[in-house]
Every structure is written in structure tokens, then in C-alpha cells.
Amino acid sequence: MLIAVKLVAGIASHSLGLLSEAAHSGTDLIAALLTFVALGVAAQPADPGHPYGHGKAEHLAALAEAAILVGASLVIAWRALWRLFGLAQGQVDPRWWALLVIGGVMVVDAVRASISYRAGRRYRSAALQANALHFASDFAGSGAVLLGLVAARAGYHWADSAAALFVAVLVLLAASRLMRLNVDVLMDRVPPDAQEAALAAIASLEPAVELRRLRMRQAAGRQFADVVIGVPPGAAVGQGHAAADAVEEAVHSALPDSDVVVHVEPRQDDAALRERVLAAAQRVPSVREIHNLTVLRVGPATEVSLHLKLPGDLPLEEAHEVATEVERAIVDSVPEVDTVQTHLEPLAEAGEGRSVDDSTADRALVERIVREVTGGPPRELRFLRTDEGLLAHLTLCLDPGTPLAEAHARASEIEERIRNERPEISDVIVHTEP
């Protein structure tokens, strides 16, 4: 009915503005039909072929509506420009009843826009919100046509074509905004506000959980979140499930009616990480020995350093290639590692050693130092003569409850004191036992 009224009034008054409004309303009819069909499809529940539901049907309909608006606005703009530049014949005859028609149309447009906007907000429907935007642009366009007809009655006949051109530009801007919004949803663009709300909800949990990944998408006003969290490797199944429930509830509270899937993974502790790094490095054929492997957390990054022992006669260039291969193998096998530093050392060749019987002074020195540090004599002490010099082997007897760090500190102190007081002893090897 509204289309027919605009069309008859436009033809009778030769008003391009009214004719453009009739064409615009024609697109409203098509858009309304699309919205009706889309809402029916979107309301269908999820099925095996559409596990996320059918909500994106609304966005497809809104995109189709925007495409129709673009086509209508281009036709209107083309006709308006032709008349403005005198390329098309015709002069507007703005009768008083044409003003009444366009005034009535504006009332209808205002009511339709208000109803669609409230319904779209209430049901979070992209299709209804698109209709509200469409009807609001109708209202603004009808206002421009009314002003154009009033100006034409005053003798400015070009104002009607200018109003039609304004309607075309207005519709084109609305269509472009509608396209951008719905293309973002169809392309699964992250909804920034929803993502920030989900992140804040997860961060506020007590006890805290390790958030490893959050992926979000939306359809028909509903948010979908895929969350990956880390729990201690020794946590029971029930603890992991409880953490997942807490995350799901927090996101639901921040984003009502959201669909949340939480995946639980064991956290990698430093011991497991060291084992994986060591295994990756040992797979390189030329590596003979690895020691002093250290894992460092530097902010969000993980750095690894280690000492590589290679044959002493290996050229430096080849040794560097082996080190590079080790670094590459670690980074490829252990993605958590960001940086690897290697220190190259020559592999000690097998040598000959012979027991030393006459070492009374050296024995007395070592026993004295051990007594001063541990309070008792060494359990075992022997000396070997090697090509590098005198080598001392000794075994310490410590309390079984002594922490390993303290036992190592005492052994290191004994080694340092022996070397300082008797430089002739080239190396000291200390073994600790309970």
C-alpha cells in the first residue's frame, strides 16, 4: 500500500524524490520477506550438519538486503544526476496533496523504525536491527524529499532532484555500514567487546587458571567461545573438570546465552620441559655429551642454554653447524622454547691413570678439610696420577635428611679449598652419600 501511494503520487507530480522513495520502499518489501524467511531458518535448532545452529542465516539475509539497497541507490542517483544536469526531461509539479502523502509516509517510517529497533535489541537479532536501520534511513530520506517538494513549490525545481540524490547517498551509506557489520560476522571476526568481557571474567577467577587460548565468534547475537586452560600435571580429573566448570560459568555470567567449550590441558613444568629439550638435542648424531642444561623464564619467553661436548679435533666450522642443528631441533620439537644458546666444549679423550700410594701429606690435607666442613672424615679417599696431574677421588658421608642443595654446596666448598691449598692436585671429584 505504501509503495503504491508513493508511486502514484510521484508519477502524478513528476517528483523524482517521491519516485525514489517508492523504489526505496520496494526494497523494503523484499527486505521484509528476506527477514521473515531468515528468522524462520535461524530459529531452527542445531543439527549434525549445523552444530553451531542456523543463526548466520540472519546475517546472510542482512547482506542480501544491503546489496539490494546498493542497487536501488545507484539507480536513484543516476536518474537524479541526469535531471540535475538537464540530460533528462521532466519538471516537478509539487501539489499540496503530495506534501500530505510524504508527511504520512514519514509517520509510518518513524513507527516502523522504532518497533524494529526495540525488537532487534530485545532479541539481539541482526536481521531486525538491519530493518530498523533501513526504516530510519527511509525516514531521513522522506524528510529530504519533503524539503525538496517545499523548495520546488517555492520555485526551486532542482531541489526535488537534489533530494532524490540525497536519498541515494543516504541509502548507500546505510548499506555500506550494514555490509561491513554482517561481513565481519560471516568472516568470524573477533567481537572485541565480547572478547574483553570474557578475558576479564576468566582473569577474575579464584583460584586463578592458566588461560592458553581464547577464540570467539558470533552469530545472530549469540557468542561462541573456545577456551583452552592449563592445570597442574598432577591434578585429578575432578580438579580439571571443576576448573573447566568455573571458566564456563564465568564466561556465561559475562556473556549471557553464550556457547562455551573449555578444553583442559596439563601444564608443562620445567622438569618435563628439560627432558623434552634434552631428548631433542640428543637426536643430533654428532652430539657426544650434554650438560649444564638450564631453562629460564624471561617474561613471557622461555630461553634454554646448554653445553655441548663434541670431538676435540672437529673443525670450528663443523662444530658450529652441529650447534645450529641442535638449536633448530630443540625449537622445532619444543614449541614453548623461544631462544636456545649453546656453549661448545671439546670432548675429553680417554687417558691413563695409576694409583698413588705415597701421598701422606695430600691425604692428611684432604682429611683435615673434610673434617672441618662436614665434622667427620671422608668415607673413601684415593689418588690417581694422570697426564693432567694428580686426581683426588673422595666420598663424603652426610646426614640422610640433608637437602641436595646443601650437600652440593659442601662438596663445592671442599673442592675449592683443596685446590686453593694444594694447587698440585689438578682435579677433585667429590661423591656424596647418606
Side-chain angles (χ1 to χ4, degrees):
M1 181 65 180
L2 193 62
I3 299 173
V5 169
K6 289 182 180 181
L7 186 62
V8 171
I11 294 174
S13 62
H14 304 290
S15 170
L16 185 59
L18 275 171
L19 290 175
S20 66
E21 275 297 296
H24 193 186
S25 295
T27 64
D28 290 349
L29 176 61
I30 299 174
L33 292 174
L34 284 172
T35 302
F36 178 76
V37 174
L39 288 175
V41 175
Q44 296 179 13
D47 55 43
H50 303 85
Y52 291 99
H54 299 76
K56 286 193 175 180
E58 290 190 30
H59 302 281
L60 287 171
L63 198 61
E65 181 180 341
I68 294 171
L69 288 175
V70 170
S73 63
L74 292 177
V75 172
I76 295 169
W78 173 67
R79 294 297 301 170
L81 290 172
W82 270 57
R83 183 174 288 189
L84 280 173
F85 289 107
L87 300 176
Q89 300 298 321
Q91 187 172 353
V92 64
D93 183 15
R95 304 291 180 88
W96 61 271
W97 46 265
L99 300 180
L100 289 179
V101 168
I102 198 66
V105 167
M106 291 181 67
V107 173
V108 174
D109 287 339
V111 172
R112 292 191 305 173
S114 176
I115 293 174
S116 295
Y117 177 75
R118 289 199 299 269
R121 287 288 299 272
R122 179 179 179 182
Y123 298 107
R124 297 197 298 275
S125 169
L128 288 175
Q129 289 176 357
N131 267 356
L133 182 63
H134 195 162
F135 295 148
S137 68
D138 286 351
F139 179 81
S142 298
V145 172
L146 179 61
L147 292 176
L149 290 175
V150 171
R153 284 178 66 86
Y156 301 99
H157 294 281
W158 57 266
D160 178 67
S161 299
L165 187 61
F166 175 79
V167 171
V169 173
L170 192 67
V171 172
L172 191 61
L173 291 175
S176 63
R177 179 175 180 272
L178 194 59
M179 280 187 169
R180 179 177 59 80
L181 293 175
N182 287 279
V183 165
D184 283 349
V185 174
L186 292 171
M187 292 298 294
D188 287 333
R189 185 180 180 86
V190 175
D193 295 339
Q195 187 178 47
E196 289 177 6
L199 288 171
I202 296 173
S204 65
L205 287 175
E206 290 293 341
V209 299
E210 178 190 356
L211 177 62
R212 292 192 168 183
R213 187 179 69 199
L214 172 63
R215 295 192 303 184
M216 298 198 66
R217 56 191 290 272
Q218 62 179 335
R222 190 180 187 191
Q223 306 296 335
F224 295 84
D226 295 329
V227 188
V228 179
I229 61 173
V231 298
V237 174
Q239 292 176 298
H241 188 267
D245 284 345
V247 170
E248 188 172 348
E249 184 178 350
V251 176
H252 277 312
S253 299
L255 303 170
D257 198 34
S258 56
D259 187 304
V260 184
V261 177
V262 183
H263 176 65
V264 180
E265 294 180 346
R267 285 202 298 258
Q268 292 288 346
D269 56 11
D270 287 346
L273 186 64
R274 285 170 56 89
E275 290 178 3
R276 294 166 59 201
V277 169
L278 185 61
Q282 288 175 335
R283 284 198 294 268
V284 178
S286 301
V287 175
R288 295 291 183 269
E289 184 181 326
I290 298 172
H291 65 102
N292 286 8
L293 196 159
T294 304
V295 177
L296 295 176
R297 309 288 185 180
V298 184
T302 300
E303 298 185 3
V304 168
S305 63
L306 68 159
H307 291 210
L308 295 178
K309 283 198 172 185
L310 305 176
D313 58 351
L314 192 67
L316 179 59
E317 182 178 6
E318 295 182 23
H320 176 70
E321 291 177 359
V322 173
T324 302
E325 188 176 353
V326 168
E327 295 169 5
R328 188 184 304 114
I330 293 173
V331 172
D332 291 344
S333 301
V334 190
E336 299 94 318
V337 174
D338 299 285
T339 307
V340 181
Q341 299 290 336
T342 55
H343 173 71
L344 298 176
E345 294 180 359
L347 184 67
E349 300 295 337
E352 293 185 1
R354 56 188 181 278
S355 298
V356 177
D357 297 327
D358 187 15
S359 55
T360 305
D362 294 329
R363 181 178 296 274
L365 171 70
V366 172
E367 290 180 348
R368 176 178 60 81
I369 292 175
V370 170
R371 286 179 183 276
E372 291 175 357
V373 174
T374 66
R379 175 172 293 178
E380 182 183 351
L381 174 60
R382 63 192 182 93
F383 294 90
L384 291 176
R385 180 72 64 181
T386 68
D387 294 338
E388 303 296 330
L390 191 62
L391 177 63
H393 286 271
L394 63 104
T395 301
L396 300 182
C397 182
L398 301 177
D399 186 273
T402 304
L404 179 60
E406 182 181 342
H408 180 266
R410 291 188 182 185
S412 299
E413 181 182 354
I414 290 172
E415 292 176 14
E416 184 177 359
R417 288 187 58 179
I418 291 173
R419 288 193 181 97
N420 290 337
E421 296 189 28
R422 189 60 59 89
E424 293 81 0
I425 300 178
S426 61
D427 199 3
V428 181
I429 299 175
V430 181
H431 174 65
T432 54
E433 293 181 352

